Amino acid sequence: MRSLEEYDISPVTGFLPPEPPLRRLPDVYFEPWEAMMDDFNGLLLAGKLRQSVEKMPLLNYRRLKTIPEYRRAFLILSMISHSYVWGKHEKTSETLPANLAVPWTGVANHLGLNPVVCHAAVVLWNYRLLDPQGPIDLSNLATLATYSGSLDEAWFYLVTTAIESVGAPCLSAIVNAISHVQDGNQKGLLADLDTIRVSVSRMRDVLQRMFEKCDPYVFYWKIRPYLAGWENMAEAGLPFGLIYEGVDSFWEAETDEYADMSHLSEGERLLRQYRRYAGGSAAQSSLIAALDVALGVEHYPTGQRKNMTTAEVNDRYTKLPTPNPADDLNVRNTQSSPPPFVRTNRNAFLRAMRSYMPGPHREFLEDLESAANLRSYILQLQERKSEQSADEKALVEMYDEILSQLKQFRDIHVRMVTLYIVNQARKGPNIAHGGFAVENKGDLTESPPAKRSKVEQNVLYPQTALETEPRIREGSVSAKVSNLFPELGLAKYVDPKTGVVRGTGGTNVLPFLKQARDETAESQVGTSSKDSTTTTKTNGILPKAPKVAVDDKNISSVLGKRSPSLRSWRNWFTAR
């Protein structure tokens, strides 16, 4: 493998940039973007953001000079664009104007990303240090931008930024471990694994702090809507995705055909401007993906395990919708094949999420897939268990301890998703419009109380539960496209009584996360691994960790009747 720096990875800060992100673009040419960010939360609250965007000039993104400038531009355009689409007390916009769509697409291409909000935008490139000489931890971090302007949203991003920071030492240790396995240096390998163990333990502890300053209700109803993308969002009024004005496949390919599109019908020209992208997701973290690859954790399609046939699989991401619905016209099957399988990762959703990672980080994971040798080495040691030396026995134990820590990390994530998404979706908003969208712009105080039925709302996303016109709107561009291309079959209305809960990336979230957790535990090679899906392993080497195991019974009890002793979300979380 190449050096970490060649993958745009810092040995000190990991996937975070080696220097804090830019707080402002230095070229005054981009002042219209920065001026928009100066008043961003106020404009959104006042309902004037779309009006202000429409007055904004179309800027030439190629005047950006450095990677930090491109990252700052990507953050700005992500914040403005998602707010423009989802609005506040406004109908969803099915069109992104060219003054946002064109530069955003160009900047994304330069960074190896898709033009949609992602983990890199709001976590890796969205922080500043209160003390420039201080550490990258929660005592010294602030955000550069949030959609809601709330402390809860800032905390949500910063906890994840801090996780990336404390996990940074893993990356050098992973690369060193590959060399130490090749050289047979067991002392060096043990030191590498200890570095990884300590880092993963700290990652777990930082994640545990999420509940301290991020209220579940605020997260679900005020923050989460803006992190959604436009893939599989027919329920929110985007049946074909989002129209990126001024952007089509010819423009992206920069071919001579762009100058002459006379061979295309009006409908085909319009259809080429649609894009379908998933929203921001924790699965877009290159750090977690790197740990899985390095440790050899195998992930299968949701609902499938080892030795199961594909006929038993029930994974909505087994086949993925193409980013451009126009491509569906050229193939008989309206869904694309999942990204190619490489070694440990058979889960199509996780593989698809790599396209939402910065290009150099994605290359690192691809090269790591080929170079990773730790698990095969540990398995070889375990095969001759009775003949192991003290160092070899310590290596196997340390490897299992790391997986135990990573499993605990995923335990906490499952519980948080239950608390922050599943419970909130079941309960519904405190007010009928959820503080997000309303049918008309009348007096909001006259809105009737929200109904608290179990599944009378669509719980996929908050905006789908509050959308007053979930079907294709009469007279809309989507209605025109649907009439022109009925064979696409994309304008399907999903019955809200399904009760499915998806993450912002689009998955049916709980089965997906629980399986990823269990697959981590099942990767342990020692005898203790048999009990690892329901218990937490500790010994003298590991710091004492809180009990965080979650099973199906616990999840069911959370979604059903609440215990009288667990009357608040804070008590519920800490008591478990």
Side-chain angles (χ1 to χ4, degrees):
M1 295 183 65
R2 294 174 280 163
S3 66
L4 289 178
E5 291 84 353
E6 291 181 81
Y7 297 105
D8 198 17
I9 300 171
S10 165
V12 177
T13 60
F15 292 109
L16 296 171
E19 299 295 332
L22 291 178
R23 298 174 67 171
R24 203 170 188 90
L25 290 170
D27 191 341
V28 295
Y29 173 78
F30 295 104
E31 188 59 25
W33 289 355
E34 292 290 359
M36 181 71 69
M37 291 305 296
D38 290 340
D39 296 326
F40 174 70
N41 295 120
L43 290 170
L44 185 59
L45 182 63
K48 294 183 177 179
L49 186 133
R50 289 178 181 172
Q51 179 182 345
S52 298
V53 166
E54 288 161 5
K55 297 178 181 178
M56 221 171 50
L58 173 57
L59 301 181
N60 181 5
Y61 73 90
R62 291 184 176 87
R63 290 191 56 164
L64 298 166
K65 296 180 175 63
T66 65
I67 291 297
E69 289 181 17
Y70 272 91
R71 291 169 177 163
R72 171 65 182 170
F74 189 87
L75 171 62
I76 291 173
L77 294 169
S78 296
M79 301 301 294
I80 299 174
S81 297
H82 276 251
S83 297
Y84 185 95
V85 171
W86 299 122
K88 191 171 182 69
H89 303 312
E90 299 165 292
K91 296 289 186 185
T92 301
S93 174
E94 61 181 341
T95 301
L96 189 66
N99 58 359
L100 291 176
V102 171
W104 197 19
T105 302
V107 170
N109 288 341
H110 189 83
L111 295 171
L113 291 167
N114 294 317
V116 69
V117 74
C118 61
H119 175 87
V122 295
V123 172
L124 302 183
W125 307 332
N126 187 30
Y127 73 91
R128 61 185 177 89
L129 298 178
L130 299 175
D131 175 4
Q133 307 304 317
I136 305 177
D137 64 30
L138 289 171
S139 68
N140 194 41
L141 286 172
T143 52
L144 297 176
T146 62
Y147 292 103
S148 64
S150 68
L151 297 178
D152 301 76
E153 184 176 359
W155 188 253
F156 175 69
Y157 299 149
L158 295 176
V159 165
T160 317
T161 301
I163 289 172
E164 293 281 348
S165 177
V166 299
C170 289
L171 301 174
S172 293
I174 286 171
V175 174
N176 292 337
I178 293 172
S179 297
H180 288 149
V181 168
Q182 293 172 341
D183 298 339
N185 185 345
Q186 294 183 345
K187 295 290 187 183
L189 179 58
L190 189 61
D192 298 331
L193 295 185
D194 188 56
T195 297
I196 297 172
R197 178 194 62 79
V198 171
S199 294
V200 175
S201 174
R202 295 180 65 194
M203 289 166 56
R204 177 206 62 198
D205 294 341
V206 173
L207 181 61
Q208 182 82 10
R209 297 190 61 189
M210 180 68 78
F211 79 98
E212 292 179 13
K213 300 176 184 177
C214 183
D215 185 282
Y217 181 89
V218 174
F219 170 77
Y220 187 76
W221 293 105
K222 311 293 184 180
I223 302 168
R224 179 175 159 81
Y226 295 106
L227 298 177
W230 16 92
E231 180 183 88
N232 297 306
M233 290 298 283
E235 305 95 334
L238 300 177
F240 298 100
L242 182 69
I243 295 174
Y244 283 59
E245 282 190 346
V247 178
D248 55 42
S249 58
F250 293 132
W251 181 87
E252 287 188 13
E254 298 183 351
T255 66
D256 293 338
E257 285 188 271
Y258 179 71
D260 180 15
M261 300 196 330
S262 59
H263 60 290
L264 297 178
S265 67
E266 178 186 359
E268 289 172 326
R269 296 179 197 179
L270 183 60
L271 195 60
R272 288 187 179 277
Q273 296 184 77
Y274 276 98
R275 291 292 182 275
R276 297 180 296 208
Y277 298 118
S281 170
Q284 296 161 0
S285 169
S286 301
L287 175 60
I288 303 301
L291 286 168
D292 279 339
V293 173
L295 296 169
V297 177
E298 295 187 69
H299 292 296
Y300 292 82
T302 305
Q304 177 185 343
R305 295 297 181 88
K306 288 183 179 180
N307 303 320
M308 286 179 62
T309 64
T310 55
E312 298 173 275
V313 178
N314 183 23
D315 182 7
R316 63 182 296 275
Y317 269 85
T318 298
K319 292 185 177 180
L320 304 171
T322 59
N324 189 333
D327 295 337
D328 294 343
L329 297 175
N330 303 319
V331 291
R332 186 170 183 177
N333 189 341
T334 60
Q335 292 180 310
S336 65
S337 299
F341 160 69
V342 281
R343 298 192 65 180
T344 59
N345 201 340
R346 293 175 173 83
N347 186 287
F349 172 72
L350 288 176
R351 301 205 303 276
M353 287 298 100
R354 290 194 184 181
S355 68
Y356 296 82
M357 301 174 184
H361 298 174
R362 185 165 57 250
E363 292 175 10
F364 172 74
L365 294 176
E366 291 168 354
D367 289 350
L368 185 60
E369 285 276 5
S370 300
N373 55 10
L374 176 60
R375 182 169 178 80
S376 59
Y377 180 71
I378 296 297
L379 288 173
Q380 288 176 1
L381 296 182
Q382 189 65 5
E383 285 177 359
R384 49 187 184 84
K385 182 177 180 181
S386 59
E387 303 173 4
Q388 287 177 353
S389 66
D391 285 345
E392 290 171 342
K393 183 177 181 180
L395 284 170
V396 173
E397 291 177 350
M398 186 71 75
Y399 175 80
D400 277 356
E401 287 163 3
I402 294 171
L403 288 169
S404 177
Q405 293 285 358
L406 187 57
K407 184 260 182 184
Q408 290 177 44
F409 181 91
R410 285 182 157 133
D411 266 335
I412 298 172
H413 193 202
V414 169
R415 295 177 61 206
M416 285 185 169
V417 167
T418 303
L419 180 63
Y420 281 75
I421 296 178
V422 177
N423 282 5
Q424 301 309 310
R426 297 287 191 261
K427 289 188 290 187
N430 290 337
I431 52 179
H433 51 77
F436 181 72
V438 291
E439 186 169 4
N440 57 60
K441 294 188 177 181
D443 185 358
L444 300 182
T445 61
E446 297 177 356
S447 300
K451 295 181 179 180
R452 294 299 186 96
S453 58
K454 292 184 179 180
V455 289
E456 288 302 315
Q457 66 182 50
N458 188 324
V459 296
L460 304 181
Y461 294 92
Q463 58 265 59
T464 64
L466 302 169
E467 174 61 49
T468 57
E469 296 181 18
R471 299 177 186 272
I472 295 180
R473 299 170 190 164
E474 184 177 352
S476 67
V477 177
S478 294
K480 183 177 182 180
V481 171
S482 181
N483 291 331
L484 288 170
F485 304 105
E487 67 272 24
L488 289 176
L490 296 174
K492 297 178 180 178
Y493 174 61
V494 177
D495 188 346
K497 294 185 179 181
T498 58
V500 174
V501 182
R502 290 192 196 129
T504 46
T507 55
N508 189 354
V509 66
L510 276 181
F512 167 74
L513 292 177
K514 288 161 63 179
Q515 180 169 317
R517 172 203 64 190
D518 294 344
E519 288 166 340
T520 302
E522 291 163 3
S523 297
Q524 291 178 281
V525 301
T527 54
S528 62
S529 64
K530 295 180 181 178
D531 302 321
S532 61
T533 57
T534 56
T535 60
T536 298
K537 177 183 176 183
T538 59
N539 57 34
I541 300 178
L542 295 176
K544 186 176 181 181
K547 182 179 180 181
V548 294
V550 177
D551 56 27
D552 294 348
K553 184 176 180 181
N554 289 337
I555 293 294
S556 299
S557 66
V558 168
L559 300 183
K561 184 177 179 181
R562 294 196 305 169
S563 169
S565 63
L566 302 177
R567 298 184 181 277
S568 71
W569 64 267
R570 184 182 297 273
N571 288 341
W572 180 89
F573 192 93
T574 55
R576 296 191 182 279

